[in-house]
Structure formats: C-alpha cells, structure tokens
Amino acid sequence: MSALHLLVDMTKCRGSGMCALIFEDGIELDRFGFPIVHGELVEGRLRRRALRASRACPHGALDVVGSDGVPVSR
Amino acid sequence: MTSTALCTTPVLAWPDPEGAVLFRGGSARHDLAAHRSVFGGDEARDPSELAELIEHSGLLGRGGAGFPLAVKLAAARGEGVEPVVIINASESEPASRKDAALGQWRPHLVLDGAAAVARSVGGREVAIRLHRGARALEGSLRAAINERGSGAPRFAVSSGPRRFVAGESSAVASAVAGGRGLPLHKTVPLALKGPSGRPTIVLNAETAAHVGLLCSMELADWRASGPQGSAGTRLLTLAGHVRSPGAVVELTGPTTFAHLLAAQGVHATPNAVLVGGFAGTWFAGETLMGLDVSDQGLEPFGATLGCGVVAVIPPGRCALAEVNHITTYLASESAGQCGPCVGGLPEVAAIIDKLARGTARRRHLRRFEAIAEELRGRGACAHPDAAISMVRSALAMLIDEVDRHLGGRVCTDLHGTPVLSLGEQR
C-alpha cells in the first residue's frame, strides 16, 4: 500500500484535541492545544487509529491522505 | 495621500543610471503609444513559442519566493483545463513600492506580460488584484486596459482590504474566486488546482513586467541586464534612513550594498539593515556593506533579496526596537485562521518586546526557540514561518545588540518614532 499520512487543515482546526485522545501514538498537542502529527502510517493498527481520529474531528480538519495529498475515505 | 506619496516616488537605476530596462525612458507614465514606441512588443507569438521563451529565460518570480515561472506554467498547462491567471499587484509588504511604481509608470509592460502568460497557457482572462485605496495605481491600470480595447485577454481589476496576508498568493486566488481573500489550506499547488477548481497562476506584477520585456528584447540582452546571477534586472525599494524612503531602484548590474546605499546618501555604516522585507533577514551594517546586492551575494547567510525591500537603521538607533515594532505588527496581521499562528506569534512578540526593553533573559530566548520549533510549517500559509525567520535572523546577526539588551541596558529609543513605518502610513 502507498504511504499515508495525517494532514491537518489548520484553517479549520479549533484545537478540540479529540484527535490526540484517540491517536496518542501519532498526534501530540502543542502548547496551545493544536495537533502536531508525526510520521507515516505504515502499519494496520496505526492506520485504523488515524482514520478514527480523522472521523472524530468535530471540525472536519483532519484527513488521512496519500502521497498525492488526496484524502482516503474517512 | 496615497497617490501623492506614490507620484513623488523616485525611480532610479543603479549601478548604471543609463541601464534601466523596465524603467527605460525614465519615470514618467507610458501610455500605449509611448509604450509601443519604447518597447514595441505587439507582435503576436504562438503559445508554444512563448512557453519556450519563458523557460529559456529562467525567470524567477519576483514576489519574494523566487519560484521559477516556467515550472508554474508547465504545471498549469498540464491539467487540460483553462487556467485562471492573476496578476498580484497588492504589494502587502508595507515598505515595498516596486509593484505600485511598475503599475503606475509601466502599466502596459505589466499588461503585455500578463497577456503573454495567459496566451502561453490558454487563458482568456486575466484578473488583476490590488489593495483598496491604491488610487493612482488602480487609475493607471484601468486607463491602460481601456486604451487596449477589446482584444484578448480580457482584464478585470479588483481590490480588497489592505492587510498583510491578503497579498499571499492563495489569499489572492481565494479573493478572485469569490472567497474570503484569506490564505487557503493547500493540499496541491495552486498551479495544479486553485480554489475555483481550475489551475491558478498568481504572478507578481514585476514578474509579469519581465515577461513583457522578454517579448520586446533579445533574450541575451535581457539576461545580461541584471545583478550577479540574476535573470533580468531586479527592483528594490529603499526604506528607513535613506535619502528618499520609498525610492525604487532598478538593479542593472553587480554592486555592493555600500555603493548602493552611498548613492542614497548613506555614508556611515548603518547599525542594521533588514533585507527582503518584513519576512526578510536582518544584517549588522558592517556585515552587509561589502556584500554583492544579489541573491548570490546573500546566499552564504541563508538570505535572498526576497521582495526587494532594503531597510536601513542608522547608527545610534536601536535595531531591536525596530524588530519589536515589526514583530508586533506581524503578530497583529495574522489572518486569525490557524491556532499555532494565533497563539504563537503574540508570544514571540511578547518575548521580543521584553528583549527590546532590556528585561529579557536567556531563558526567554530559549522559550522563543521552543515556540519557533513548534510552529514550523504548521500554518496554512508561510506567515508564522516568515515572522519567526525574521526574528531568528535578528537574534543571530545582531548579536552584540542582543547581548547588550540581555545585560539589561534600557533602550531609550523605544519611546521614539520607529525608523521603519508600517502599512497604515501608506
């Protein structure tokens, strides 16, 4: 499978922090409560977590995207 | 106020006063007849010929980022959809006057270039975006468009609020597409897909004017016309403590900052100089004076000429007071969209304010570095990165002054009028 990663739309993100609660291995919050995402999502469990975090965002600000920047289905 | 200030803006060429290319024929406005007599440039070329010409020229964007124009155009052409072509003449950079000077004195050169770019990618319309209130500029462009009649492409001028981030390319693209005119979250480059869904080319006015020149002169002459390592001449705006703040200089060849500034009445080595605008790089005067005025000359310091603003802080004036003034301004000019920028820049500004007042300690600078690391690359646009890079350059390059302030020296300058004026004075 192609490399996936998380992409935050900072213009939509309001810092609810839901993503970091759900996916603590891959997302940390900065001092202002906004997410910092790490690395590629290679392995199945991480990928499922990332998709859950994406679905949980109340502002639709978090996408799992392929290397072409296009979101995979949530 | 705006228009009178602009009308008196001198335009000069340096180091060869007779070597101006964009401003060939002096700083009077060229109407269409004057333009054609000086530049010609009215023969029709086919799109592939234009694309080839732009590619061979090696022209880099003049809005500050220096991206190769040909790469942008090739991306847009590859999509098989008619691209949106936008000339960005909004010139958000508070000290910059070069795009206004071009639009005002050489409107047809900008329009020729815009038309050539549009033709090369199959665009039938060109949108020109300005900041509201730039009456002389808008008047000149509208008059020039009227003079050209109804030929292709169709030009449409619009304007929006004068704010720093409104001139960012995706903000400009957003405004032209009927959006809010704020920077966009981009997953693919605008040249592939802009906010309208079509490939979108946003061109700085100076970039467009250079395409106009390319259509009117021999490529070899055009190439030979600028500073070291540059393709084409380069426009600078001088600011701060110079003979004529706001003067626009067309760089015609190699020169040092010492020579350039001496020609502007700056004989004492400045305390500090900000190169490349508010998102640029600070230099101690003695470091900068011997350097070549070109991207190549600045490269060892990780700097570029950027948007071309060269702002001079004279001896005896506190450079950190100026850094403070600009940082506070940049923090207040956040679009307010992205949390890291909204949260981070005021904290950075507060640290720099402490530093300028002589009340900061090393730990405050460590805190600045921690915030800077956290913010890196996380805004939808480059605004927070640019502000931080400007502050970082001040901390690294003005080291003596930083040390004095950390030692608690109180700066009397804080209560005076800053040397560098901000946007509201335009």
Side-chain angles (χ1 to χ4, degrees):
Chain A
M1 264 207 241
S2 67
L4 300 178
H5 61 275
L6 279 165
L7 185 67
V8 185
D9 179 347
M10 275 297 171
T11 67
K12 289 184 184 164
C13 177
R14 289 295 170 266
S16 78
M18 289 297 283
C19 56
L21 286 175
I22 290 168
F23 188 26
E24 57 182 7
D25 294 343
I27 298 173
E28 64 172 316
L29 299 180
D30 67 16
R31 68 192 70 214
F32 310 109
F34 292 90
I36 300 174
V37 299
H38 302 286
E40 289 187 347
L41 306 166
V42 281
E43 173 231 322
R45 191 183 67 91
L46 292 184
R47 196 169 291 197
R48 283 194 298 278
R49 282 286 163 119
L51 286 164
R52 268 189 61 201
S54 166
R55 282 192 298 266
C57 176
H59 299 101
L62 187 66
D63 278 317
V64 178
V65 300
S67 50
D68 53 1
V70 176
V72 302
S73 65
R74 286 206 178 155
Chain B
M1 168 66 206
T2 308
S3 46
T4 36
L6 202 60
C7 287
T8 57
T9 295
V11 173
L12 13 119
W14 183 264
D16 176 9
E18 306 302 315
V21 183
L22 290 166
F23 288 107
R24 191 188 309 162
S27 58
R29 184 177 181 278
H30 284 175
D31 61 13
L32 189 57
H35 172 72
R36 291 290 177 234
S37 77
V38 175
F39 293 96
D42 52 350
E43 74 266 45
R45 296 171 189 244
D46 67 64
S48 61
E49 191 189 345
L50 286 167
E52 212 168 282
L53 177 64
I54 290 168
E55 193 182 339
H56 286 161
S57 73
L59 176 58
L60 305 178
R62 298 297 169 83
F67 192 78
L69 176 60
V71 174
K72 237 185 225 186
L73 300 186
R77 255 193 312 269
E79 293 299 290
V81 181
E82 184 189 332
V84 177
V85 178
I86 303 170
I87 299 304
N88 185 3
S90 52
E91 200 161 46
S92 297
E93 189 64 40
S96 186
R97 298 289 181 278
K98 70 179 182 76
D99 295 330
L102 273 176
Q104 213 188 339
W105 307 132
R106 295 290 179 274
H108 289 287
L109 204 51
V110 176
L111 298 180
D112 275 359
V117 165
R119 195 170 161 77
S120 82
V121 295
R124 287 170 297 181
E125 288 179 18
V126 172
I128 301 180
R129 188 71 182 172
L130 311 172
H131 274 343
R132 210 168 282 148
R135 287 197 194 85
L137 171 60
E138 181 164 353
S140 170
L141 288 167
R142 286 191 187 280
I145 290 164
N146 287 339
E147 271 186 292
R148 294 165 82 100
S150 57
R154 207 175 69 82
F155 290 100
V157 178
S158 69
S159 60
R162 174 175 296 289
R163 54 186 295 182
F164 194 78
V165 292
E168 191 261 352
S169 55
S170 73
V172 168
S174 156
V176 168
R180 297 167 65 211
L182 295 176
L184 301 170
H185 169 65
K186 295 166 279 283
T187 54
V188 295
L190 292 172
L192 289 176
K193 190 178 182 184
S196 61
R198 288 154 60 190
T200 302
I201 294 160
V202 183
L203 224 62
N204 170 260
E206 184 186 345
T207 317
H210 276 288
V211 175
L213 278 183
L214 283 168
C215 296
S216 81
M217 64 195 282
E218 290 299 322
L219 183 56
D221 294 340
W222 179 81
R223 270 181 195 286
S225 64
Q228 195 193 353
S230 168
T233 61
R234 184 112 187 207
L235 294 182
L236 305 177
T237 310
L238 302 177
H241 193 73
V242 291
R243 188 185 296 133
S244 333
V248 172
V249 177
E250 184 170 1
L251 266 186
T252 57
T255 186
T256 61
F257 280 94
H259 284 121
L260 169 71
L261 292 177
Q264 263 292 306
V266 179
H267 298 293
T269 301
N271 179 22
V273 182
L274 177 59
V275 179
F278 284 10
T281 306
W282 283 97
F283 285 86
E286 67 263 20
T287 310
L288 188 69
M289 289 302 103
L291 300 182
D292 193 67
V293 188
S294 64
D295 287 338
Q296 276 184 4
L298 298 172
E299 200 198 352
F301 297 90
T304 70
L305 290 174
C307 67
V309 170
V310 176
V312 176
I313 311 303
R317 292 300 300 261
C318 175
L320 294 183
E322 303 294 327
V323 178
N324 185 21
H325 180 57
I326 294 174
T327 310
T328 302
Y329 167 79
L330 291 177
S332 75
E333 286 291 311
S334 168
Q337 299 189 107
C338 303
C341 184
V342 171
L345 291 191
E347 290 223 13
V348 168
I351 293 170
I352 299 308
D353 186 62
K354 267 180 173 306
L355 180 65
R357 288 170 195 284
T359 59
R361 298 294 171 260
R362 294 269 166 208
R363 66 187 155 87
H364 294 106
L365 299 190
R366 286 195 293 273
R367 184 171 161 74
F368 161 73
E369 271 309 321
I371 295 171
E373 273 310 302
E374 228 176 58
L375 291 193
R376 186 165 55 189
R378 290 176 63 235
C381 73
H383 184 64
D385 286 351
I388 279 170
S389 144
M390 181 277 295
V391 169
R392 257 195 185 137
S393 75
L395 298 179
M397 304 290 273
L398 309 176
I399 201 147
D400 293 345
E401 196 151 344
V402 170
D403 282 347
R404 279 201 297 280
H405 283 72
L406 287 173
R409 193 191 74 170
V410 176
C411 230
T412 50
D413 261 12
L414 279 180
H415 307 291
T417 313
V419 178
L420 300 181
S421 57
L422 301 175
E424 69 272 14
Q425 282 145 21
R426 245 222 259 203

